[in-house]
Amino acid sequence: MENSLSQEAEENPYLCFQRTPSLRRKWRKRYGGLDGNKLLEPNKEDDTRENGEMTDALTNRSADSVKFTASKETKAAGNIPQPVPRNTFPSQRPVNYVSPGSTGMPSFISNGGTKRTVPEQDKLHASQAWQHLGRPETHQGHFKKKVAADVLFDSFASGGRVNCNQFFEALWSSGIIRTDPRIKDCYSLMRKLQEADGTVDRSTFHRCVTGFVSFILKALQGRFVIPDFSTFTEETQKLFIKCKQLSSVKEKEDVRESATKWGISVCTVDGQRLSLGDWAEPCILGEISWPLIYGLAVDQQGSDYVHRFVGMEEYCKYESPFTLTKQGVPHSPLVETGAIICTSLLQLATRPVTDEEEKYESVLNIIRRLCNKEHANLNCTSYQNLRKDIIHLHALSFYLQEKKCFPEGVGINSTLDLLLQCLSTEVTCESGAALAATLANGGLCPLSGDQVMSPHAVRSTLSMMQVAGMNDYSRMFHFKTSVPAKSSQSGAVLIVVPGVLGLMCWSPGLDCNGNSWRGVHFCEV
């Protein structure tokens, strides 16, 4: 039995990202059905490449339907009853169309679009056609004769023209934002070619949506990981306001404006995004860079080689950081000594780059790819401040050198300099959420389609975040949430729900364990 399970895990590396049954039932009850066994499989639906051509998925379904109809007509002459093949009518997810403008949100919510009121007749007219597109029913022949772009146009058309605002508001209601690279070109082109009254004709509509039909249909039919994004937005908003209203004794005594700042950002594995509060404020990655350094080292050199120099234990508080395991290696990649060793391994992987600044640029480039090339830069002020307190890291590195923990050919000064630069990298909640969503998607960025890290490296990274990401509170946080997370002294918390979404919270107030108490409360409630 164990051999069969291990063989199945090797054939399908995505099985390691399944959520716990309780969390999966909770998510299905709140936001719609999810297939827990295929959460991290890449999207196999190809976009429409040519004008007037339907997607491959729709074509295959239509072909199966035609073959089945022909077989029934051929055998009808003999009056022989034929059973219906089980794979003729593939199962479909239930349609959960969210009408635009149904959810009123305050001004501090930024999900890519402003809510506008749409007449009920237009919403009913727009929701009837595309909900059955690509579904083998009695009207399959009628839809087969029309291309997908014509179906979309007829669904939104009024008087032979489509209102651009109404069309895109239906997309924004599914959680897609205007800057999404998968729809940005379509949005900008249609805005450029629209008439003075904000409408376009059929030919212009075809020209704008060509190549985006598959993505648009997936959004309008509610086939994202969170089908009912409006309900998800409302519940997240209520929880955000509840955490914002809380305050600690230190915040009441602190007169600084930054003490009460609070922002979160969410990004799903399908690219649905939601940002609340001070999500645009830059924050330092700090200790959140440690699991990234470890993941990059595993991705480039393999976990077996990396764990020859660093252990994989859970987080434990020791009286002194100058401690090693019985094997003579640091306890975990998410402690100071383990981060130094992982940085030295990462430096060896970038050995062809001679300049030390170029080594950090290569690491920063990978971080930017994880963030969908959004905000991720070096904070020079934080870097200079950390260099003033580098004596502690030098003492730890000399201790590791005495115990022969470093691999051969590693320079201590260059290793510490690279580590300080990674610690001083700044992001926003929005770019951090995109980074977490990439980890939740097995290393595949959901917005750009770039496979930045291998699934094996992501699995190792999330496993270490699970057992040692929240410092002394790691066990309790794992018990209450069952999701991997990593906190930093800057007040940022990176949370990954494998196969569903990535989340980043930021609030400068810290608790006794060095974690953002608002971020911890938001995840546990």
Side-chain angles (χ1 to χ4, degrees), residues 150-167:
D150 284 330
V151 176
L152 284 174
F153 182 85
D154 295 337
S155 301
F156 288 91
S158 177
R161 304 185 70 85
V162 169
N163 187 288
C164 297
N165 290 333
Q166 177 185 350
F167 176 72

Side-chain angles (χ1 to χ4, degrees), residues 343-344 346-348 350-364 378 383 387 409-419 421-422:
T343 306
S344 65
L346 186 59
Q347 186 190 19
L348 289 179
T350 57
R351 179 172 289 178
V353 182
T354 57
D355 193 358
E356 299 299 331
E357 294 182 358
E358 293 182 1
K359 290 184 179 181
Y360 172 69
E361 287 296 331
S362 62
V363 176
L364 181 61
L378 175 65
Y383 175 67
R387 286 189 63 86
V410 174
I412 294 179
N413 293 329
S414 58
T415 297
L416 295 182
D417 192 59
L418 179 60
L419 177 60
Q421 288 175 325
C422 293

Side-chain angles (χ1 to χ4, degrees), residues 51-310:
N51 188 12
E53 180 182 359
M54 300 187 69
T55 59
D56 295 340
L58 301 181
T59 305
N60 295 336
R61 293 175 183 173
S62 302
D64 295 339
S65 179
V66 172
K67 291 180 181 180
F68 176 59
T69 305
S71 63
K72 289 198 301 181
E73 293 178 354
T74 304
K75 298 178 181 180
N79 296 327
I80 301 176
Q82 299 293 333
V84 179
R86 296 180 59 183
N87 59 351
T88 302
F89 300 101
S91 60
Q92 300 290 335
R93 286 187 177 182
V95 176
N96 194 343
Y97 172 68
V98 181
S99 57
S102 59
T103 304
M105 296 183 293
S107 59
F108 56 78
I109 295 182
S110 172
N111 64 342
T114 57
K115 299 295 181 178
R116 302 190 179 183
T117 305
V118 182
E120 294 296 334
Q121 295 182 355
D122 294 341
K123 289 193 291 185
L124 179 61
H125 174 70
S127 62
Q128 289 177 351
W130 69 66
Q131 292 186 3
H132 305 285
L133 184 61
R135 303 175 188 272
E137 296 179 355
T138 56
H139 298 285
Q140 179 66 30
H142 173 70
F143 287 113
K144 181 182 177 182
K145 297 177 182 179
K146 286 192 173 186
V147 295
D150 284 330
V151 176
L152 284 174
F153 182 85
D154 295 337
S155 301
F156 288 91
S158 177
R161 304 185 70 85
V162 169
N163 187 288
C164 297
N165 290 333
Q166 177 185 350
F167 176 72
F168 283 108
E169 284 300 327
L171 290 179
W172 308 152
S173 65
S174 64
I176 304 301
I177 62 175
R178 291 172 177 157
T179 58
D180 194 310
R182 299 169 295 178
I183 199 66
K184 180 174 64 175
D185 294 338
C186 175
Y187 175 73
S188 59
L189 182 60
M190 190 173 294
R191 285 297 184 187
K192 181 179 179 180
L193 300 179
Q194 68 181 0
E195 300 294 338
D197 57 350
T199 60
V200 293
D201 57 7
R202 184 180 295 270
S203 61
T204 305
F205 185 82
H206 274 242
R207 177 182 174 184
C208 296
V209 302
T210 298
F212 307 95
V213 176
S214 177
F215 176 75
I216 293 173
L217 287 177
K218 188 175 182 180
L220 296 178
Q221 292 176 346
R223 292 188 283 119
F224 286 149
V225 67
I226 302 181
D228 192 359
F229 198 76
S230 297
T231 303
F232 175 80
T233 300
E234 292 177 359
E235 295 189 8
T236 306
Q237 174 190 348
K238 294 177 182 178
L239 184 57
F240 172 83
I241 296 176
K242 180 180 178 181
C243 295
K244 186 178 180 64
Q245 293 173 349
L246 299 176
S247 62
S248 62
V249 177
K250 293 183 179 181
E251 287 186 354
K252 294 179 180 179
E253 298 176 353
D254 196 348
V255 296
R256 293 179 302 173
E257 184 181 356
S258 60
T260 58
K261 288 189 176 182
W262 166 232
I264 67 168
S265 185
V266 179
C267 181
T268 69
V269 294
D270 284 323
Q272 299 168 280
R273 311 193 74 169
L274 174 66
S275 299
L276 308 174
D278 303 315
W279 58 270
E281 292 285 339
C283 57
I284 306 300
L285 277 180
E287 292 83 355
I288 294 179
S289 62
W290 292 352
L292 300 180
I293 294 173
Y294 166 73
L296 295 179
V298 171
D299 187 37
Q300 297 179 9
Q301 299 188 0
S303 60
D304 294 337
Y305 180 79
V306 170
H307 284 292
R308 289 170 53 187
F309 302 92
V310 65

